[in-house]
Amino acid sequence: MAGVFDNPVLPYFAFYATVVVLKTMAMSFLTSLNRLSKGVFANPEDVGFSPGKGKIAADESIERVRRCHLNDLENVIPFVLVGLLYTASGPSLSSALLHFRIFTGARIFHTIAYLFALPQPSRALGFFVGVIATVSMAYNVLSAAKC
């Protein structure tokens, strides 16, 4: 019986899952960097970190990064969880790579479209393509389940 670590899909899943998780983590740092550079903070206790006079306010560019980060959390976590189950379900390597690459590319494109305010439907396309990849993996997991 082959073990989980003998699964030829697992290293590829690990790679693409790590890419999108690191991208999601980078959004936290980008939000903080924007807050510091603009001196705009969400909490009163954070104002002391500002080199000049900080203020409590909303800034559209900071909020845009924050919303993009929240959208990543809503999509990357399901991808990682469903992708792990999908990897364990024994998909073909070519099918798995297609799903992983489409999702990762869609999330990177979504972030670019969000941060640079590209006209719609660019951001929506990035979002829906990623969701479709995750739903497709979920469908394959459910189809392979022996219930």
Side-chain angles (χ1 to χ4, degrees):
M1 183 165 124
V4 164
F5 294 105
D6 295 330
N7 185 333
V9 174
L10 186 61
Y12 295 99
F13 170 70
F15 174 81
Y16 288 103
T18 300
V19 167
V20 294
V21 167
L22 287 174
K23 189 203 86 51
T24 299
M25 291 171 63
M27 298 306 294
S28 295
F29 293 107
L30 189 56
T31 300
S32 296
L33 181 65
N34 272 304
R35 286 193 184 284
L36 286 170
S37 69
K38 294 178 183 245
V40 175
F41 301 94
N43 304 300
E45 64 272 17
D46 299 336
V47 173
F49 284 115
S50 178
K53 289 186 176 181
K55 61 184 176 201
I56 306 300
D59 178 89
E60 177 52 31
S61 63
I62 294 168
E63 290 303 307
R64 179 171 287 280
V65 174
R66 194 181 64 75
R67 289 189 305 265
C68 185
H69 185 208
L70 289 173
N71 193 275
D72 271 349
L73 292 172
E74 294 168 358
N75 289 274
V76 170
I77 292 170
F79 167 77
V80 170
L81 296 174
V82 170
L84 191 56
L85 296 171
Y86 176 70
T87 298
S89 73
S92 71
L93 182 57
S94 61
S95 176
L97 279 173
L98 183 65
H99 283 92
F100 303 159
R101 289 174 176 164
I102 286 174
F103 180 84
T104 302
R107 290 312 304 170
I108 290 170
F109 176 76
H110 178 270
T111 298
I112 291 168
Y114 217 136
L115 297 184
F116 293 101
L118 299 181
Q120 284 286 31
S122 57
R123 190 177 80 238
L125 288 172
F127 170 80
F128 284 115
V129 167
V131 168
I132 289 168
T134 302
V135 169
S136 175
M137 288 189 304
Y139 174 80
N140 284 302
V141 168
L142 294 172
S143 296
K146 308 285 190 236
C147 296

